[in-house]
Amino acid sequence: MVQDAERTTENTTSGPRAEAGQDHSGPGDPGLDRIREVARDVWADPWWTLPNLLSVIRLAGVPVFLWLLLGPQADLLALLVLVISGATDWLDGKLARWLNQYSRIGELLDPAADRLYIVATLIAFVLRDVIPWWVAVALVGRDVVLTLCLPVLRWHGYEPPEVHYLGKAATFCLMYAFPLLLLVQDDFTGSDVVRPIAYAFTAWGGALYLWAGILYLGQVIAAVRGARARA
């Protein structure tokens, strides 16, 4: 899925790395050379950092979260896992800045955890008839398409596109929608007030999520066309 570590739009369409990726004068395939370079960068970066540990904990919580939703249907415990995930998501970014522990693997783990929580929630919600299946197919399909675009970008020597503000807003809405949808599965005082808010966040987040995906896809198409024109 499109990397949620920050990248500039200019890096997608220009810049030293992009130009280097298009240099056909040297031996070998420039696309494969760029992929090998990225792999070396990830391997050479420090893995055992505190922010990365928090990201691994978030990832480990995904199967627990899904089991709680589908097994005992312990929605409050699942909600607690989701809240802890959100807290660690905020904390690992802060720690990376405070401790100067940025790493390529951290940039990969963080958005991967976000997407896996979204996919796990959508699967559980469809199986429990919380949302219609076509909503989940649309949102998951968006991520599948963008994930398939990443090796294409790497092949042409580009970094993943920068996270668009619409993508951030979409994730924000969905991360609020999911806990609220969990809450209203059981009747409680105030559920009639919370339910329309939950559905509103779901609708807004889903629409923004798809629109942001279209914008990302447009950046990918423009980058590939530019690379082919220069070649």
Side-chain angles (χ1 to χ4, degrees), residues 35-50:
I35 292 173
R36 293 191 187 103
E37 178 187 343
V38 172
R40 284 195 300 269
D41 288 345
V42 172
W43 185 256
D45 268 350
W47 285 50
W48 300 113
T49 65
L50 188 54

PDB file of all heavy atoms in Angstrom, residues 35-50:
ATOM      1  N   ILE A  35      15.787  -1.182  -7.044  1.00  0.00           N
ATOM      2  CA  ILE A  35      15.174  -2.073  -6.059  1.00  0.00           C
ATOM      3  C   ILE A  35      16.235  -2.626  -5.107  1.00  0.00           C
ATOM      4  O   ILE A  35      16.027  -2.695  -3.897  1.00  0.00           O
ATOM      5  CB  ILE A  35      14.424  -3.220  -6.776  1.00  0.00           C
ATOM      6  CG1 ILE A  35      13.207  -2.650  -7.514  1.00  0.00           C
ATOM      7  CG2 ILE A  35      13.982  -4.284  -5.777  1.00  0.00           C
ATOM      8  CD1 ILE A  35      12.495  -3.657  -8.387  1.00  0.00           C
ATOM      9  N   ARG A  36      17.393  -2.994  -5.656  1.00  0.00           N
ATOM     10  CA  ARG A  36      18.480  -3.484  -4.802  1.00  0.00           C
ATOM     11  C   ARG A  36      18.964  -2.390  -3.852  1.00  0.00           C
ATOM     12  O   ARG A  36      19.288  -2.660  -2.695  1.00  0.00           O
ATOM     13  CB  ARG A  36      19.639  -3.977  -5.665  1.00  0.00           C
ATOM     14  CG  ARG A  36      19.335  -5.216  -6.495  1.00  0.00           C
ATOM     15  CD  ARG A  36      20.592  -5.785  -7.108  1.00  0.00           C
ATOM     16  NE  ARG A  36      20.295  -6.860  -8.033  1.00  0.00           N
ATOM     17  CZ  ARG A  36      20.313  -6.740  -9.361  1.00  0.00           C
ATOM     18  NH1 ARG A  36      20.635  -5.575  -9.897  1.00  0.00           N
ATOM     19  NH2 ARG A  36      20.015  -7.770 -10.134  1.00  0.00           N
ATOM     20  N   GLU A  37      19.015  -1.147  -4.342  1.00  0.00           N
ATOM     21  CA  GLU A  37      19.457  -0.030  -3.501  1.00  0.00           C
ATOM     22  C   GLU A  37      18.504   0.175  -2.323  1.00  0.00           C
ATOM     23  O   GLU A  37      18.934   0.374  -1.185  1.00  0.00           O
ATOM     24  CB  GLU A  37      19.523   1.250  -4.334  1.00  0.00           C
ATOM     25  CG  GLU A  37      19.940   2.483  -3.534  1.00  0.00           C
ATOM     26  CD  GLU A  37      19.824   3.753  -4.350  1.00  0.00           C
ATOM     27  OE1 GLU A  37      19.739   3.661  -5.593  1.00  0.00           O
ATOM     28  OE2 GLU A  37      19.812   4.838  -3.731  1.00  0.00           O
ATOM     29  N   VAL A  38      17.199   0.118  -2.600  1.00  0.00           N
ATOM     30  CA  VAL A  38      16.212   0.272  -1.532  1.00  0.00           C
ATOM     31  C   VAL A  38      16.345  -0.859  -0.518  1.00  0.00           C
ATOM     32  O   VAL A  38      16.293  -0.647   0.695  1.00  0.00           O
ATOM     33  CB  VAL A  38      14.783   0.318  -2.122  1.00  0.00           C
ATOM     34  CG1 VAL A  38      13.742   0.274  -1.006  1.00  0.00           C
ATOM     35  CG2 VAL A  38      14.597   1.569  -2.957  1.00  0.00           C
ATOM     36  N   ALA A  39      16.528  -2.098  -1.017  1.00  0.00           N
ATOM     37  CA  ALA A  39      16.683  -3.235  -0.114  1.00  0.00           C
ATOM     38  C   ALA A  39      17.908  -3.075   0.767  1.00  0.00           C
ATOM     39  O   ALA A  39      17.873  -3.373   1.967  1.00  0.00           O
ATOM     40  CB  ALA A  39      16.768  -4.529  -0.927  1.00  0.00           C
ATOM     41  N   ARG A  40      19.006  -2.559   0.193  1.00  0.00           N
ATOM     42  CA  ARG A  40      20.215  -2.340   0.990  1.00  0.00           C
ATOM     43  C   ARG A  40      19.978  -1.278   2.047  1.00  0.00           C
ATOM     44  O   ARG A  40      20.456  -1.383   3.181  1.00  0.00           O
ATOM     45  CB  ARG A  40      21.382  -1.940   0.072  1.00  0.00           C
ATOM     46  CG  ARG A  40      21.991  -3.073  -0.715  1.00  0.00           C
ATOM     47  CD  ARG A  40      23.341  -2.675  -1.291  1.00  0.00           C
ATOM     48  NE  ARG A  40      23.229  -1.528  -2.180  1.00  0.00           N
ATOM     49  CZ  ARG A  40      23.029  -1.606  -3.493  1.00  0.00           C
ATOM     50  NH1 ARG A  40      22.906  -2.787  -4.061  1.00  0.00           N
ATOM     51  NH2 ARG A  40      22.962  -0.512  -4.224  1.00  0.00           N
ATOM     52  N   ASP A  41      19.225  -0.214   1.673  1.00  0.00           N
ATOM     53  CA  ASP A  41      18.939   0.847   2.640  1.00  0.00           C
ATOM     54  C   ASP A  41      18.163   0.311   3.832  1.00  0.00           C
ATOM     55  O   ASP A  41      18.448   0.647   4.988  1.00  0.00           O
ATOM     56  CB  ASP A  41      18.127   1.976   1.967  1.00  0.00           C
ATOM     57  CG  ASP A  41      18.977   2.787   1.000  1.00  0.00           C
ATOM     58  OD1 ASP A  41      20.216   2.665   1.062  1.00  0.00           O
ATOM     59  OD2 ASP A  41      18.388   3.515   0.183  1.00  0.00           O
ATOM     60  N   VAL A  42      17.156  -0.530   3.548  1.00  0.00           N
ATOM     61  CA  VAL A  42      16.338  -1.099   4.625  1.00  0.00           C
ATOM     62  C   VAL A  42      17.194  -1.997   5.511  1.00  0.00           C
ATOM     63  O   VAL A  42      17.114  -1.945   6.743  1.00  0.00           O
ATOM     64  CB  VAL A  42      15.149  -1.885   4.042  1.00  0.00           C
ATOM     65  CG1 VAL A  42      14.414  -2.645   5.146  1.00  0.00           C
ATOM     66  CG2 VAL A  42      14.191  -0.934   3.332  1.00  0.00           C
ATOM     67  N   TRP A  43      18.039  -2.819   4.898  1.00  0.00           N
ATOM     68  CA  TRP A  43      18.859  -3.756   5.669  1.00  0.00           C
ATOM     69  C   TRP A  43      19.918  -3.032   6.490  1.00  0.00           C
ATOM     70  O   TRP A  43      20.249  -3.448   7.604  1.00  0.00           O
ATOM     71  CB  TRP A  43      19.515  -4.753   4.722  1.00  0.00           C
ATOM     72  CG  TRP A  43      20.292  -5.824   5.424  1.00  0.00           C
ATOM     73  CD1 TRP A  43      21.644  -5.937   5.545  1.00  0.00           C
ATOM     74  CD2 TRP A  43      19.742  -6.932   6.146  1.00  0.00           C
ATOM     75  NE1 TRP A  43      21.977  -7.043   6.279  1.00  0.00           N
ATOM     76  CE2 TRP A  43      20.833  -7.674   6.658  1.00  0.00           C
ATOM     77  CE3 TRP A  43      18.448  -7.364   6.406  1.00  0.00           C
ATOM     78  CZ2 TRP A  43      20.650  -8.836   7.408  1.00  0.00           C
ATOM     79  CZ3 TRP A  43      18.266  -8.517   7.156  1.00  0.00           C
ATOM     80  CH2 TRP A  43      19.357  -9.230   7.643  1.00  0.00           C
ATOM     81  N   ALA A  44      20.461  -1.927   5.949  1.00  0.00           N
ATOM     82  CA  ALA A  44      21.543  -1.219   6.629  1.00  0.00           C
ATOM     83  C   ALA A  44      21.043  -0.366   7.790  1.00  0.00           C
ATOM     84  O   ALA A  44      21.810  -0.047   8.693  1.00  0.00           O
ATOM     85  CB  ALA A  44      22.290  -0.331   5.639  1.00  0.00           C
ATOM     86  N   ASP A  45      19.781   0.013   7.784  1.00  0.00           N
ATOM     87  CA  ASP A  45      19.237   0.856   8.846  1.00  0.00           C
ATOM     88  C   ASP A  45      19.179   0.114  10.173  1.00  0.00           C
ATOM     89  O   ASP A  45      19.081  -1.116  10.205  1.00  0.00           O
ATOM     90  CB  ASP A  45      17.820   1.318   8.486  1.00  0.00           C
ATOM     91  CG  ASP A  45      17.845   2.660   7.757  1.00  0.00           C
ATOM     92  OD1 ASP A  45      18.914   3.275   7.711  1.00  0.00           O
ATOM     93  OD2 ASP A  45      16.797   3.066   7.242  1.00  0.00           O
ATOM     94  N   PRO A  46      19.226   0.840  11.289  1.00  0.00           N
ATOM     95  CA  PRO A  46      19.071   0.179  12.595  1.00  0.00           C
ATOM     96  C   PRO A  46      17.663  -0.383  12.757  1.00  0.00           C
ATOM     97  O   PRO A  46      16.677   0.324  12.545  1.00  0.00           O
ATOM     98  CB  PRO A  46      19.336   1.312  13.593  1.00  0.00           C
ATOM     99  CG  PRO A  46      19.053   2.568  12.839  1.00  0.00           C
ATOM    100  CD  PRO A  46      19.437   2.293  11.421  1.00  0.00           C
ATOM    101  N   TRP A  47      17.588  -1.657  13.103  1.00  0.00           N
ATOM    102  CA  TRP A  47      16.292  -2.325  13.286  1.00  0.00           C
ATOM    103  C   TRP A  47      15.831  -2.229  14.730  1.00  0.00           C
ATOM    104  O   TRP A  47      14.652  -2.015  14.999  1.00  0.00           O
ATOM    105  CB  TRP A  47      16.401  -3.792  12.867  1.00  0.00           C
ATOM    106  CG  TRP A  47      16.448  -4.008  11.392  1.00  0.00           C
ATOM    107  CD1 TRP A  47      17.272  -3.378  10.491  1.00  0.00           C
ATOM    108  CD2 TRP A  47      15.646  -4.899  10.630  1.00  0.00           C
ATOM    109  NE1 TRP A  47      17.040  -3.836   9.220  1.00  0.00           N
ATOM    110  CE2 TRP A  47      16.053  -4.778   9.279  1.00  0.00           C
ATOM    111  CE3 TRP A  47      14.651  -5.809  10.956  1.00  0.00           C
ATOM    112  CZ2 TRP A  47      15.470  -5.525   8.257  1.00  0.00           C
ATOM    113  CZ3 TRP A  47      14.068  -6.557   9.938  1.00  0.00           C
ATOM    114  CH2 TRP A  47      14.464  -6.407   8.607  1.00  0.00           C
ATOM    115  N   TRP A  48      16.749  -2.428  15.668  1.00  0.00           N
ATOM    116  CA  TRP A  48      16.359  -2.554  17.069  1.00  0.00           C
ATOM    117  C   TRP A  48      16.337  -1.185  17.739  1.00  0.00           C
ATOM    118  O   TRP A  48      17.254  -0.786  18.432  1.00  0.00           O
ATOM    119  CB  TRP A  48      17.313  -3.505  17.799  1.00  0.00           C
ATOM    120  CG  TRP A  48      17.298  -4.867  17.195  1.00  0.00           C
ATOM    121  CD1 TRP A  48      18.304  -5.486  16.530  1.00  0.00           C
ATOM    122  CD2 TRP A  48      16.192  -5.773  17.186  1.00  0.00           C
ATOM    123  NE1 TRP A  48      17.911  -6.718  16.099  1.00  0.00           N
ATOM    124  CE2 TRP A  48      16.622  -6.926  16.484  1.00  0.00           C
ATOM    125  CE3 TRP A  48      14.885  -5.740  17.691  1.00  0.00           C
ATOM    126  CZ2 TRP A  48      15.781  -8.026  16.279  1.00  0.00           C
ATOM    127  CZ3 TRP A  48      14.052  -6.825  17.488  1.00  0.00           C
ATOM    128  CH2 TRP A  48      14.500  -7.946  16.795  1.00  0.00           C
ATOM    129  N   THR A  49      15.286  -0.442  17.444  1.00  0.00           N
ATOM    130  CA  THR A  49      15.062   0.854  18.062  1.00  0.00           C
ATOM    131  C   THR A  49      13.733   0.813  18.809  1.00  0.00           C
ATOM    132  O   THR A  49      12.873  -0.031  18.523  1.00  0.00           O
ATOM    133  CB  THR A  49      15.031   1.981  17.024  1.00  0.00           C
ATOM    134  OG1 THR A  49      13.902   1.785  16.159  1.00  0.00           O
ATOM    135  CG2 THR A  49      16.310   2.002  16.200  1.00  0.00           C
ATOM    136  N   LEU A  50      13.561   1.726  19.735  1.00  0.00           N
ATOM    137  CA  LEU A  50      12.325   1.762  20.518  1.00  0.00           C
ATOM    138  C   LEU A  50      11.098   2.040  19.641  1.00  0.00           C
ATOM    139  O   LEU A  50      10.067   1.371  19.800  1.00  0.00           O
ATOM    140  CB  LEU A  50      12.451   2.802  21.633  1.00  0.00           C
ATOM    141  CG  LEU A  50      11.314   2.828  22.665  1.00  0.00           C
ATOM    142  CD1 LEU A  50      11.082   1.458  23.273  1.00  0.00           C
ATOM    143  CD2 LEU A  50      11.602   3.855  23.748  1.00  0.00           C
TER     144      LEU A  50
END
